[in-house]
Amino acid sequence: MKLTREQIQAAVDRLKASESDPVLQAYLDSIARRAEVSEHYAQYQLTRYLQEKENPSGDWHWRWWAEVDAHGGDAVAAFRARWEVTYRAHPHAADWLWRLLSLADTTPSATWAAQQLDLIWRGLILG
């Protein structure tokens, strides 16, 4: 069933009201904006969001690209936001984090660097 822009916007509004994660709220807003250009892709993103909420896959890339979309498609800005939270939570890793920040200046490098931050949070490096 194909959804119209209006139906996508109504679904986004309803989902945002119950979403507590500010990054995912911003992601939902990006889905509504995307519907103005491509209803098909916006519907795909909406379906993917609902699948993740119902049955979390642990797909790191899905969450990362949701963060990038929430930052207007700017992977470097998304990385910097994630970096700031990590820096506050893991001050013992300051030297390594500053080096990582200096490398994250393009979408590919920011994506790689964000994966490194995820490893810190999971305790797999600098534990």
Side-chain angles (χ1 to χ4, degrees):
M1 178 174 118
K2 185 176 179 203
L3 298 177
T4 66
R5 264 182 256 157
E6 294 78 19
Q7 290 170 316
I8 292 169
Q9 183 64 58
V12 163
D13 291 342
R14 188 178 66 255
L15 292 166
K16 269 186 65 181
S18 63
E19 178 59 67
S20 61
D21 184 329
V23 168
L24 293 181
Q25 287 176 348
Y27 176 63
L28 288 167
D29 284 335
S30 77
I31 291 172
R33 285 190 306 277
R34 183 155 289 126
E36 295 179 19
V37 176
S38 172
E39 292 168 350
H40 178 75
Y41 190 61
Q43 185 171 342
Y44 163 77
Q45 286 186 304
L46 190 58
T47 300
R48 186 77 174 94
Y49 169 85
L50 293 169
Q51 289 170 341
E52 282 296 319
K53 292 305 278 188
E54 184 176 315
N55 188 16
S57 68
D59 180 357
W60 181 88
H61 285 93
W62 179 84
R63 173 64 190 206
W64 168 244
W65 291 111
E67 289 180 40
V68 171
D69 280 347
H71 284 86
D74 185 343
V76 174
F79 170 76
R80 288 180 183 269
R82 185 182 273 211
W83 182 90
E84 288 176 19
V85 171
T86 306
Y87 183 75
R88 286 192 302 273
H90 298 279
H92 63 283
D95 289 341
W96 189 81
L97 287 168
W98 281 107
R99 283 194 300 273
L100 194 58
L101 180 64
S102 71
L103 298 172
D105 58 355
T106 65
T107 294
S109 64
T111 299
W112 173 82
Q115 289 175 315
Q116 302 308 301
L117 293 179
D118 189 55
L119 294 174
I120 291 174
W121 284 100
R122 294 187 331 181
L124 298 176
I125 57 176
L126 301 175

